Amino acid sequence: MKLREPGICGVDVATGQLIGATNRYVKTLDDLAGLYEDEAAFRDLQRERGDALVYEVTDYRQSVDAGDLIFGVTRMRPGKVGREYFLTRGHIHANADRPEIYYGESGRGVMLLESPEGEVRTVHMSPRTICYVPSFWIHRSVNIGADDLVMTFAYPADAGQDYAIIEETGGMRSRIVDDGSGGWTLVDNASYRGRSAARIERVFRGVV
Ligand code: ZN
């Protein structure tokens, strides 16, 4: 049997990058158009900052085979669109019965989770905490702090990501906004439409 070779990577907390990564992608403001509640504030921010980087992911993957593992580091810039904190696009795993973990390296964040039926959970992330994202939960991270939010993550290599599940419902059910005194609070997303029973069943069959 031909074995894979061991690997080693470093976490550069200051730059929010995985040293020795095999893969990198970034999301800029333009990539996140349509995700925020306040479209006028979003356009203002685009005018002010141009197509600025919002988050960056560097990861290490030997394969996307079942049983293998992908891990990496995500760095999200601090900021708000109107009252709403910067967020990642969010996804459910395309093989939805795959979990994930996130480990806080620096900064303060919230993992926002939504079940297929529309239940919402939030997990507060700070350095040296580990968030377990169970199978079947849609998840997105939100930077609620004044500094970069840096997290290390790991998930089964064949998990895959599906973004359409969020687009179909007009976004996730809840938004994370400034509570007016430096903290955060959860508010309803006015554009949200729930999923049909057929759609929910499709998710629970495992392949989105
Ligand atoms: Zn994920």
Side-chain angles (χ1 to χ4, degrees), residues 91 93 100 102 139 161:
H91 59 262
H93 293 151
E100 183 163 5
Y102 286 83
H139 46 286
Q161 284 96 14

Side-chain angles (χ1 to χ4, degrees), residues 48-62:
E48 197 182 297
R49 296 207 197 171
D51 191 22
L53 184 146
V54 177
Y55 63 94
E56 172 182 16
V57 176
T58 41
D59 70 35
Y60 177 90
R61 52 181 74 191
Q62 288 217 5

Side-chain angles (χ1 to χ4, degrees), residues 46-121:
Q46 280 180 311
R47 270 193 293 274
E48 197 182 297
R49 296 207 197 171
D51 191 22
L53 184 146
V54 177
Y55 63 94
E56 172 182 16
V57 176
T58 41
D59 70 35
Y60 177 90
R61 52 181 74 191
Q62 288 217 5
S63 80
V64 292
D65 297 344
D68 205 351
L69 195 65
I70 293 171
F71 62 90
V73 174
T74 170
R75 172 180 75 118
M76 191 184 327
R77 302 290 296 155
K80 280 184 291 188
V81 177
R83 62 175 182 164
E84 190 174 6
Y85 287 106
F86 274 8
L87 43 75
T88 58
R89 202 170 156 204
H91 59 262
I92 192 167
H93 293 151
N95 288 311
D97 60 348
R98 304 292 195 273
E100 183 163 5
I101 57 165
Y102 286 83
Y103 173 76
E105 301 280 2
S106 71
R108 295 190 309 125
V110 172
M111 190 66 63
L112 176 63
L113 302 104
E114 178 180 316
S115 74
E117 285 117 329
E119 285 180 80
V120 175
R121 301 280 189 277

